[in-house]
Amino acid sequence: MALAGIGVDMLEIARMEKVLERRPSFAKRVFTESERAYCERMARPAQHYAARFAAREAVLKALGTGFSRGVGLTDVSVRNNEAGRPEVHLSGRAQQIAEEQGVQEVALSLSYTHDVAVASAVAMTDDVRPKQEARSDPKDELRASFREARAVLDELERVDEQGT
């Protein structure tokens, strides 16, 4: 049976702001160094911290564990790829659990309003993971395009010859 777990979580941004104000050590304890660096350079850091905390919860729901079975606070983190898209990074016990379940990828979506941060995660195995279409060689595509164009030209010549 193929597993494709889904998790969604939301967090009030004001709640994250209060936690960060009251407990400055919270960010260091819960977020990785790269996550803190990312959030702190944003205009509204609490919004991004909230989205990343919601992402942890959503990913762990998708894996079916929550913060149990030995999963640590930084075993799930969010990194941005070259295009700026958030991606899940698993380590420690969360990574082990994902491997045991055959999870190959966790797709992540983050969003927020002025008040709330929302994250949704889908844990995918190879059975349910979207397949990349096999890409053909660009040279073969170009050759085929020229053959098709030549066939059209040949047909036009035949029609022209028959019509004159």
Side-chain angles (χ1 to χ4, degrees), residues 55-115:
R56 283 168 167 65
E57 293 278 353
V59 168
L60 294 175
K61 287 175 183 177
L63 293 177
T65 66
F67 285 108
S68 67
R69 297 178 50 194
V71 175
L73 291 171
T74 58
D75 286 358
V76 177
S77 61
V78 178
R79 298 178 179 170
N80 289 49
N81 68 14
E82 312 80 47
R85 182 176 155 219
E87 295 181 334
V88 173
H89 176 73
L90 300 176
S91 61
R93 186 69 181 125
Q95 182 179 6
Q96 289 175 331
I97 291 168
E99 288 171 359
E100 289 167 6
Q101 295 178 357
V103 172
Q104 299 296 311
E105 178 183 356
V106 179
L108 178 67
S109 178
L110 302 178
S111 190
Y112 40 80
T113 66
H114 181 73
D115 301 318

Side-chain angles (χ1 to χ4, degrees), residues 7 12 25 33 38 58 68 92 94-95 97 102 108 113 122 132 144 159 162 164:
E12 293 173 353
S25 63
E33 187 176 324
Y38 173 83
S68 67
Q95 182 179 6
I97 291 168
L108 178 67
T113 66
V122 178
Q132 295 273 339
V159 168
Q162 291 172 356
T164 56

Side-chain angles (χ1 to χ4, degrees), residues 11 15-32 36 49-50 53 56 73-74:
L11 180 63
R15 188 171 170 203
M16 180 59 73
E17 285 173 333
K18 288 177 187 172
V19 168
L20 293 169
E21 285 175 17
R22 290 183 189 155
R23 296 188 183 96
S25 63
F26 177 82
K28 240 184 182 169
R29 210 168 31 91
V30 175
F31 299 98
T32 65
R36 291 192 313 271
Y49 279 122
F53 193 84
R56 283 168 167 65
L73 291 171
T74 58

